[in-house]
Amino acid sequence: MDVSYILDPLNDAQREAVTAPPGPVLVLAGAGSGKTRVLVHRAAWLIGVERVSPWGMLAVTFTNKAAAEMRGRLQELLGVPAAGMWIGTFHGLSHRLLRAHWREAGLPEAFQILDAEDQQRVVRRVLRSLELDEARWPPKEVQRFINARKDEALRPARVDHRGDPYVQQLVRVYRAYEEHCARAGLVDFAELLLRTLELWHGHPQLLAHYRERFRHILVDEFQDTNAVQYDWLKLLAGHSGQVFAVGDDDQSIYGWRGARVENLKRLTDEFPATRIVRLEQNYRSTSTILRAANAVIAYNQGRMGKSLWTAGEPGEPLELYSAFNEQDEARYVVGRISAWIEHGGAPNEVAVLYRSNAQSRAFEEALIMSAIPYRVYGGLRFFERAEIKDALAYLRLAANRDDDASFERIVNQPARGIGERTLAAVRERARHEDSSLWHAARLLVAEGATATRAAKALQGFLERIDRIASRMRGLPLHEQVDQALGESGLLEHYKADRSEKGRARVENLEELVNAAQSFAHEGELPPEAEGLDPLAAFLAHAALEAGEAQGDPGQPCVQLMTLHAAKGLEFSLVFLCGMEEGLFPHQLALEESGRLEEERRLCYVGLTRGRRHVVLSYAERRRLHGAETFPHPSRFLYELPQELLHEVRPRVTVARPASPAGADTDVDHAPGLPGALHLGQRVAHPKFGEGVVLNYEGKGSHARVQVNFEHAGSKWLVVAYANLEPV
DNA sequence: ACCACCTGTTATTAT
DNA sequence: AACAGGTGGT
């Protein structure tokens, strides 16, 4: 049997992992050491050599992107699709199981998935029904509390409040929240996992069935598993523990949502037979980039210990640019990208990485100005847009009348004369009957108990939903969506808005029909959708995979994303922007003890995304939450070996304005500049008239300043030639 | 009940 | 800066 196609592309360590005899395996895989390759080749090995049917294998990842990549690469390696193999995210696979066994799981057949925003609305609703003040019980915190408990597999009854009245109250809200979800047939993200775990616990014959089937489990990014996910895997693996897990403790960046690095150690403790393989050769980056990354991560305590090395060339030093402000930062980055593209570089080989989504804006503006195609990942995504969620809510309510969250969302959207008073009556009745809002509204209408005008409006709404549901029957998915858009009055409503925003919304709604069409038609209905009716599958897809924000996937684009979103990806040219204390490491992480190391791991992740070039940048002033700040350079910059750094531009060359309240005191004066030019200085130019100095660059005879002229607009001028007169 | 406007609040990371 | 929620006029 020729297995060279599986083994030849592997190094010794990779081969050891791939060919390990049956039994638990933990692969500690450093960044760029071929982690995905090992997973994929392991699957191929099991199929090709161990004669395991793909049908008996389960592969779990954390993101849809990772799952899709694994599926694609496996298919490429095998030459055929690995039909029957379950590949998906924890959430996707759990969802699939719950759809198949909704009855045993205690869910209604048409249960709907709550995304984070939906969940917050439900929490608000519950807080109100308990008459708790939102100021004292911030919905966000309550939401975090609930999710954190669920991530630990703790139902309200099992939460240890230790007599703390504050926690007791939170538990009360948690319980009420659960009751609300149960009645409305709503399942949040954490619930998908926990409910599946309980499904197995409560139905041993079901568990036995899946254990029998999935003798081989592959897990990606094991360091990101939370308590429930660990239990989920352990339960499914059973005593044999045939888990092939790949992970890297240095890339654990999801602690804030319950991930536990300790699960790596726990696995080896609870399955003592676990074979540990270390992948330490990096194939991705230059040795310079690797040295830089290793130096930074070395500041962390208690690592499991790996030393990444490469046989690659040293390459270029890392570049560091200190920008005047975020616009200057973006300008520099985009300038660098332009040069890269001019020299024949591919735009899609470039990534601009940052700590928080809000930072994308300055880069987007600069990229648009330079007409460079780009794509932003994250942020507000397609299925998270308000108009899309409105439309989906119509579909969801048509599918499940008890879905209170959807009911609340659209009962008066578009406005149809159902106001707060009417709604209050419906809620009150629902509480009284312990029923859904839909049921309560029905009763009120039937009894004619509300004012006739309100009752008519309410009745109109109920009939509208019923009409949508009945007209949808038998139609292909995209026509169902199209039909609902029309019948709901949503399309009309948004069309009436002739503003820019309104037009965009109409476009999005139309795009939703297209999305439905391609979802159903492309023949690649996600496998977890099998056996589901297309609408249910589409709605689940919308909740579980929010879709990309924008960008034309057809053309090569510069990639903009957060550091978190970049994990698992690699690029020839990587920008790490906003390297500032308070931004990265983030302020909120600095305020809580013990969270700095995760930020540092995030920095490690960022650096190791780069193959050839890494450019770091920070701004000396930055508008943050509407206010001007004067941040200090990130500590991570000081943790980099300075000999690996090349500072692109010497620091201050033109006098800076005095900073407020001692934020920064070094007001340097540039040698060789005529007069006292400084930022904010009013100047006069012989041709352009008067203006204000906005920005500066370079030094000596090359110094340039940006001046915003009252009539001529903003211009960059070489100070030596411009003849500027301070006014 | 609806809409436009104002005011106060709040700011990561994401399945 | 952005947004949710509240206020006041229609």
Side-chain angles (χ1 to χ4, degrees):
Chain A
M1 145 117 235
D2 179 24
V3 293
S4 58
Y5 71 101
I6 299 177
L7 298 182
D8 282 0
L10 305 178
N11 67 25
D12 288 346
Q14 292 172 337
R15 199 168 299 174
E16 182 191 346
V18 165
T19 61
V25 179
L26 175 61
V27 181
L28 291 175
S33 65
K35 174 172 69 75
T36 309
R37 163 172 292 194
V38 164
L39 270 178
V40 169
H41 284 246
R42 172 65 170 182
W45 174 265
L46 290 173
I47 293 168
V49 178
E50 302 283 346
R51 315 310 291 171
V52 176
S53 161
W55 195 81
M57 291 162 58
L58 180 92
V60 201
T61 63
F62 277 84
T63 65
N64 295 295
K65 215 193 307 180
E69 178 171 353
M70 193 153 149
R71 183 175 290 281
R73 282 174 67 169
L74 186 57
Q75 178 168 341
E76 199 181 317
L77 186 62
L78 297 175
V80 290
M85 182 168 167
W86 280 31
I87 305 179
T89 63
F90 278 102
H91 294 88
L93 296 170
S94 296
H95 172 249
R96 184 173 180 178
L97 288 160
L98 293 178
R99 286 288 174 202
H101 307 290
W102 53 272
R103 230 185 287 268
E104 295 91 329
L107 291 169
E109 182 172 14
F111 73 86
Q112 302 292 325
I113 300 170
L114 290 176
D115 70 12
E117 191 210 339
D118 301 331
Q119 184 186 31
Q120 208 185 356
R121 292 170 102 99
V122 172
V123 167
R124 279 217 159 84
R125 194 60 266 136
V126 169
L127 286 170
R128 244 170 261 176
S129 78
L130 294 177
E131 293 177 325
L132 292 174
D133 183 6
E134 288 192 8
R136 244 170 73 78
W137 305 94
K140 270 223 162 87
E141 272 177 41
V142 175
Q143 184 183 24
R144 268 180 44 181
F145 175 86
I146 293 173
N147 287 336
R149 299 293 86 70
K150 288 193 180 190
D151 285 343
E152 310 257 279
L154 292 175
R155 292 295 184 191
R158 289 189 49 226
V159 175
D160 176 15
H161 51 70
R162 292 180 296 184
D164 183 336
Y166 179 75
V167 180
Q168 279 174 332
Q169 185 66 278
L170 284 172
V171 171
R172 233 168 278 144
V173 180
Y174 180 9
R175 187 170 290 121
Y177 168 81
E178 284 212 316
E179 282 161 9
H180 184 101
C181 289
R183 209 193 49 225
L186 300 173
V187 173
D188 60 48
F189 287 142
E191 184 73 25
L192 286 169
L193 306 177
L194 180 50
R195 192 62 78 108
T196 303
L197 191 64
E198 290 170 349
L199 170 71
W200 283 333
H201 272 306
H203 299 267
Q205 75 292 352
L206 255 178
L207 175 61
H209 167 80
Y210 284 105
R211 271 187 183 169
E212 185 61 30
R213 172 167 176 184
F214 297 121
R215 295 282 189 79
H216 299 270
I217 302 171
L218 307 172
V219 194
D220 194 14
E221 309 276 19
F222 196 81
Q223 77 283 355
D224 289 338
T225 52
N226 64 27
V228 165
Q229 286 157 343
Y230 184 89
D231 291 346
W232 193 105
L233 287 168
K234 193 180 168 192
L235 197 58
L236 184 59
H239 300 296
S240 67
Q242 298 265 24
V243 173
F244 186 91
V246 179
D248 179 2
D249 57 319
D250 290 331
Q251 292 188 67
S252 163
I253 56 175
Y254 285 103
W256 51 274
R257 59 171 206 207
R260 295 179 174 184
V261 212
E262 314 88 82
N263 285 345
L264 288 167
K265 287 189 186 107
R266 205 176 150 196
L267 186 76
T268 57
D269 289 347
E270 294 179 2
F271 299 98
T274 300
R275 175 186 293 251
I276 300 178
V277 182
R278 286 187 155 76
L279 303 184
E280 298 180 304
Q281 183 175 4
N282 172 294
Y283 293 93
R284 179 185 295 157
S285 309
T286 64
S287 64
T288 302
I289 293 175
L290 212 54
R291 274 176 66 198
N294 281 339
V296 170
I297 199 67
Y299 279 82
N300 274 2
Q301 309 287 317
R303 301 167 55 214
M304 292 182 87
K306 264 184 288 73
S307 51
L308 266 186
W309 62 278
T310 176
E313 318 160 359
E316 308 287 321
L318 280 66
E319 277 176 39
L320 174 62
Y321 181 72
S322 71
F324 166 58
N325 59 15
E326 65 269 31
Q327 280 85 27
D328 181 41
E329 180 181 48
R331 187 193 55 75
Y332 176 76
V333 166
V334 171
R336 267 311 251 95
I337 295 174
S338 294
W340 165 266
I341 294 172
E342 268 166 38
H343 285 87
N348 51 326
E349 273 302 319
V350 181
V352 180
L353 308 182
Y354 35 78
R355 180 59 175 70
S356 66
N357 283 306
Q359 287 169 258
S360 72
R361 204 164 137 169
F363 297 105
E364 291 189 61
E365 283 167 5
L367 285 162
I368 289 169
M369 293 277 279
S370 300
I372 296 173
Y374 68 91
R375 180 172 183 159
V376 186
Y377 290 85
L380 189 60
R381 289 172 297 181
F382 182 71
F383 287 112
E384 292 167 356
R385 290 168 198 277
E387 63 275 17
I388 298 301
K389 295 197 74 166
D390 288 344
L392 293 175
Y394 275 94
L395 295 166
R396 286 167 62 144
L397 200 55
N400 170 18
R401 303 292 199 288
D402 293 334
D403 182 343
D404 283 358
S406 295
F407 185 100
E408 292 244 13
R409 183 173 188 106
I410 54 170
V411 64
N412 202 32
Q413 172 67 18
R416 49 174 70 90
I418 301 169
E420 205 38 55
R421 291 187 81 92
T422 315
L423 209 45
V426 176
R427 290 197 195 107
E428 177 50 37
R429 187 57 186 267
R431 198 169 322 156
H432 189 254
E433 298 282 330
D434 193 25
S435 74
S436 63
L437 295 173
W438 177 270
H439 183 72
R442 260 223 151 110
L443 290 177
L444 288 176
V445 168
E447 295 160 2
T450 27
T452 43
R453 191 145 60 112
K456 249 204 156 88
L458 200 52
Q459 184 175 11
F461 174 69
L462 300 179
E463 282 168 0
R464 197 179 282 259
I465 298 298
D466 282 335
R467 192 160 60 238
I468 289 172
S470 69
R471 292 211 181 155
M472 281 189 339
R473 213 156 291 143
L475 292 180
L477 178 61
H478 73 278
E479 285 179 34
Q480 291 184 320
V481 175
D482 192 43
Q483 199 273 137
L485 286 183
E487 284 293 325
S488 63
L490 269 183
L491 203 56
E492 209 180 339
H493 169 75
Y494 284 121
K495 272 186 176 158
D497 179 356
R498 307 295 296 169
S499 72
E500 186 70 27
K501 214 163 183 151
R503 267 196 318 110
R505 294 201 148 138
V506 171
E507 272 174 33
N508 283 334
L509 288 173
E510 281 160 357
E511 186 55 35
L512 182 65
V513 179
N514 293 337
Q517 187 157 27
S518 47
F519 178 80
H521 271 298
E522 263 168 24
E524 36 182 283
L525 263 181
E528 60 268 25
E530 95 191 10
L532 269 184
D533 84 276
L535 179 60
F538 184 62
L539 291 174
H541 166 80
L544 289 173
E545 191 171 359
E548 294 307 338
Q550 55 180 297
D552 183 349
Q555 68 174 323
C557 293
V558 170
Q559 320 276 309
L560 272 61
M561 66 187 88
T562 63
L563 289 155
H564 284 89
K567 186 154 72 113
L569 307 176
E570 57 180 86
F571 308 91
S572 294
L573 172 58
V574 165
F575 295 88
L576 297 190
C577 306
M579 299 294 296
E580 296 141 38
E581 287 291 298
L583 233 204
F584 186 37
H586 196 279
Q587 190 60 41
L588 295 174
L590 290 171
E591 282 164 10
E592 258 178 86
S593 71
R595 292 190 51 189
L596 178 62
E597 295 212 338
E598 185 157 303
E599 296 286 304
R600 190 175 283 113
R601 291 192 289 268
L602 199 50
C603 183
Y604 174 78
V605 166
L607 290 167
T608 53
R609 296 312 95 195
R611 282 198 281 257
R612 311 295 311 168
H613 310 280
V614 170
V615 180
L616 304 142
S617 65
Y618 67 92
E620 291 169 342
R621 54 162 66 188
R622 179 181 296 274
R623 281 197 92 78
L624 223 49
H625 323 312
E628 197 85 6
T629 61
F630 298 83
H632 293 286
S634 170
R635 70 190 67 193
F636 302 141
L637 292 174
Y638 298 106
E639 293 171 0
L640 290 163
Q642 299 302 300
E643 73 271 18
L644 303 180
L645 270 185
H646 169 65
E647 288 210 38
V648 173
R649 194 189 67 176
R651 276 175 52 80
V652 184
T653 49
V654 177
R656 307 151 133 230
S659 314
D664 211 343
T665 50
D666 56 326
V667 178
D668 304 0
H669 286 273
L673 275 183
L677 278 190
H678 61 82
L679 295 169
Q681 167 87 50
R682 283 194 67 82
V683 292
H685 183 272
K687 209 158 85 195
F688 299 128
E690 289 195 9
V692 176
V693 177
L694 288 186
N695 202 350
Y696 56 84
E697 184 183 52
K699 66 173 175 181
S701 60
H702 296 290
R704 303 194 311 145
V705 290
Q706 186 184 27
V707 182
N708 189 24
F709 292 104
E710 266 147 20
H711 300 294
S714 159
K715 305 224 180 284
W716 278 97
L717 303 166
V718 178
V719 179
Y721 303 115
N723 246 334
L724 292 171
E725 290 284 340
V727 177

